[in-house]
Amino acid sequence: MEAIFRVDGNDVVTSPFAAGPWDPSMQHGSPPAALVVWAAERIATPVAMRVARVTVDLMRPVPVAPLTIESEVLREGRKIQLCAIRLLAGGVVVVGATVLKIKVQAHELPPEAAILPIELPGPDQSRVEPADFSSSPFVTGMSLRAARGRFGSPGPGAIWYRVDRSIVEGAPVSQAMRAMAAADFCNGTAAVLDFREWTFLNADLTVNFSREPVGDWILLDAESWIGPDGAGLAMARLADERGYFGRAIQSLVIEKR
């Protein structure tokens, strides 16, 4: 199976390509985050809506194993829809997420509301970051271009990400799915601690969208703050080649190796 997941009804088969860098039996955070959006986007809405916010809580390590999807509409309105998506492994909830959709309404906006442009090199002008920097099989299905800094190097960084492998077999990768897959790389884009000496897993991921992204490449313009008591934050402004469209934030669990 070349895709990350094969979905049959509510049952999900997971391929080895889902594995992350921390443990070969544990998924990278990006695949379940993208799967949550895929499931939410399949829920019908009374009018045209798009994803405006996704919050993913990683309740337990997500295994590279069969999963079950549970979906629920928490609120159905004329202007918004709030969905709950749960991923279960062996009958136990490993991911709990909420997805907020907002009604699509075209407006002619004043000049001061224009999309904020980026002042960084685009993906074609940025340095190629080879996938061999990580032991994660998931990363082999991503392309990275560093506009500022390097992946995993100390300090703020700005890196373009492109999903090259199918997430759900037989289904296109939506723009919101692309953004979620990229956003989970916040902590590595703006690493503060040495990966060889520390782990800084994220316990959650929240992404807010001011508009739907366009194109294949997603930029994370990121920074991290590390607290003295075992917690931290990784944050990023998200952009496509047109300009900025969203923000992402992760709560980090900091541990010495």
Side-chain angles (χ1 to χ4, degrees), residues 28 80 98 153 228 234:
H28 191 285
I80 71 165
T98 56
S153 296

Side-chain angles (χ1 to χ4, degrees), residues 1-6 12-20 24-28 31 63-67 137-138 165-167 169:
M1 186 170 71
E2 288 299 316
I4 303 295
F5 301 112
R6 177 180 294 144
V12 181
V13 175
T14 305
S15 81
F17 290 123
S25 67
M26 187 172 81
Q27 291 192 37
H28 191 285
V64 180
L67 302 173
F138 175 74
R165 178 176 285 120
S166 295
I167 303 294
E169 188 176 66

Side-chain angles (χ1 to χ4, degrees), residues 35-188:
L35 182 61
V36 159
V37 171
W38 177 85
E41 289 182 326
R42 289 172 61 83
I43 298 174
T45 55
V47 296
M49 294 186 178
R50 67 160 180 86
V51 172
R53 191 262 298 155
V54 182
T55 296
V56 178
D57 287 307
L58 300 168
M59 312 295 285
R60 292 174 176 81
V62 184
V64 180
L67 302 173
T68 302
I69 300 175
E70 291 183 350
S71 302
E72 179 184 2
V73 176
L74 300 177
R75 184 185 172 198
E76 189 80 271
R78 293 180 294 109
K79 298 179 181 179
I80 71 165
Q81 182 189 74
L82 182 63
C83 309
I85 308 293
R86 293 175 290 274
L87 303 181
L88 294 80
V92 177
V93 176
V94 292
V95 173
T98 56
V99 179
L100 176 68
K101 303 175 190 175
I102 290 180
K103 179 181 177 181
V104 175
Q105 305 178 76
H107 295 292
E108 188 171 337
L109 298 174
E112 58 267 25
I115 294 171
L116 181 65
I118 57 175
E119 298 179 351
L120 290 163
D124 293 337
Q125 293 77 43
S126 298
R127 180 179 52 250
V128 175
E129 289 280 87
D132 59 6
F133 69 82
S134 172
S135 60
S136 168
F138 175 74
V139 176
T140 64
M142 301 286 292
S143 292
L144 282 68
R145 303 286 187 273
R148 184 180 67 240
R150 300 295 301 271
F151 188 90
S153 296
I159 297 178
W160 293 94
Y161 294 87
R162 186 182 69 195
V163 175
D164 295 331
R165 178 176 285 120
S166 295
I167 303 294
V168 175
E169 188 176 66
V173 180
S174 74
Q175 294 305 113
M177 290 171 67
R178 289 186 185 280
M180 293 302 295
D184 194 72
F185 284 88
C186 277
N187 51 351

